């Protein structure tokens, strides 16, 4: 019990710090995405000529925002249908159901994480995005098209973070089943930058 509790506390600290950083970066992605969409609207409706890079850049930022913020939502919980069922069940049955579901989710996330990293390192990640380029020289004379792997890394990072959160939640569920619920610190660092 002591080992599981210590591991859950350590993983909770690591996840809390990583997810807090992810929320800030994700919020930055949302802000940039809004600016790019406004640029696209101006070009499309005022100048009747929307540049292709705005659409690709918005998609790129949306994927990263999702990959960085979804793990926080998963850690916070709140699946309405499952929560209603858990409330109706006796405490022990609800804890066992929760643990079983978390193990199923962990298996799916492990598989998704492997797929995500395969997309980053595989042949598909070697192709470049058609409309987004970044400077590779200080005088902006040389530009490189952004590799597709940079975009697909959002899936790999998001699934890896969700897998880590799932392991933490499994440990917390085991501790609850063993009667150590009072020794668990609440998950408090999930504020959404004041957006809640």
């Amino acid at each position: 019990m002591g080992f599981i509790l210590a591991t859950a506390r350590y993983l909770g600290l690591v996840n809390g710090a990583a997810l807090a950083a992810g929320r800030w970066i994700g919020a930055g992605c949302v802000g940039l995405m809004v600016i790019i969409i406004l640029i696209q609207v101006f070009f499309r409706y005022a100048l009747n000529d929307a540049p292709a890079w705005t659409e690709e850049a918005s998609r790129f930022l949306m994927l990263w925002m999702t990959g960085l913020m979804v793990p926080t939502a998963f850690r916070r919980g709140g699946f309405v249908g499952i929560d209603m069922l858990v409330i109706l069940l006796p405490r022990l049955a609800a804890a066992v159901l929760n643990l079983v579901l978390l193990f199923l989710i962990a298996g799916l996330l492990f598989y998704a994480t492997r797929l995500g990293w395969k997309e980053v390192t595989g042949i598909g990640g070697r192709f470049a995005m058609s409309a987004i380029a970044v400077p590779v020289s200080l005088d902006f004379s040389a530009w490189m098209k952004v590799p597709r792997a940079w975009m697909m890394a959002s899936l790999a990072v998001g699934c890896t973070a969700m897998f880590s959160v799932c392991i933490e939640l499994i440990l917390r569920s085991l501790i609850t089943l063993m009667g150590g619920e009072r020794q668990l610190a609440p998950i408090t660092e999930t504020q959404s930058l004041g957006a809640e």
Side-chain angles (χ1 to χ4, degrees):
M1 175 75 160
F3 174 74
I4 296 174
L5 193 58
T7 306
R9 283 184 184 151
Y10 174 74
L11 196 53
L13 290 173
V14 170
N15 284 339
L19 296 183
R23 285 191 303 277
W24 280 102
I25 297 168
C29 288
V30 171
L32 286 173
M33 189 171 55
V34 168
I35 291 168
I36 289 170
I37 289 171
L38 290 174
I39 291 169
Q40 182 182 29
V41 167
F42 172 76
F43 272 91
R44 176 166 290 169
Y45 297 108
L47 303 178
N48 199 23
D49 184 29
W53 70 267
T54 55
E55 211 167 299
E56 265 193 14
S58 295
R59 189 178 314 117
F60 182 92
L61 291 167
M62 179 185 63
L63 287 170
W64 271 104
M65 178 269 306
T66 304
L68 293 169
M69 290 188 161
V70 165
T72 294
F74 177 53
R75 192 172 189 225
R76 181 179 280 181
F79 298 104
V80 176
I82 295 172
D83 286 350
M84 287 173 52
L85 178 62
V86 167
I87 290 169
L88 294 173
L89 291 173
R91 186 178 172 279
L92 181 61
V96 170
L97 175 64
N98 187 47
L99 189 61
V100 168
L101 291 174
L102 284 171
F103 272 111
L104 289 172
I105 293 168
L108 290 171
L109 286 172
F110 180 75
Y111 182 72
T113 300
R114 288 183 58 212
L115 282 179
W117 288 111
K118 195 179 286 186
E119 281 293 319
V120 172
T121 59
I123 193 164
R126 295 184 188 145
F127 293 104
M129 299 174 74
S130 59
I132 302 178
V134 292
V136 291
S137 65
L138 293 176
D139 62 353
F140 298 101
S141 62
W143 290 71
M144 169 190 83
K145 290 205 179 236
V146 172
R148 186 174 169 268
W150 292 8
M151 181 175 67
M152 296 313 295
S154 64
L155 171 67
V157 168
C159 287
T160 301
M162 286 178 63
F163 182 72
S164 178
V165 167
C166 193
I167 298 301
E168 176 193 357
L169 294 176
I170 286 171
L171 293 174
R172 291 175 68 92
S173 290
L174 286 171
I175 292 165
T176 300
L177 273 173
M178 291 188 284
E181 188 174 5
R182 291 187 182 152
Q183 295 177 315
L184 288 171
I187 297 175
T188 58
E189 64 277 3
T190 56
Q191 287 78 25
S192 305
L193 304 173
E196 64 274 40

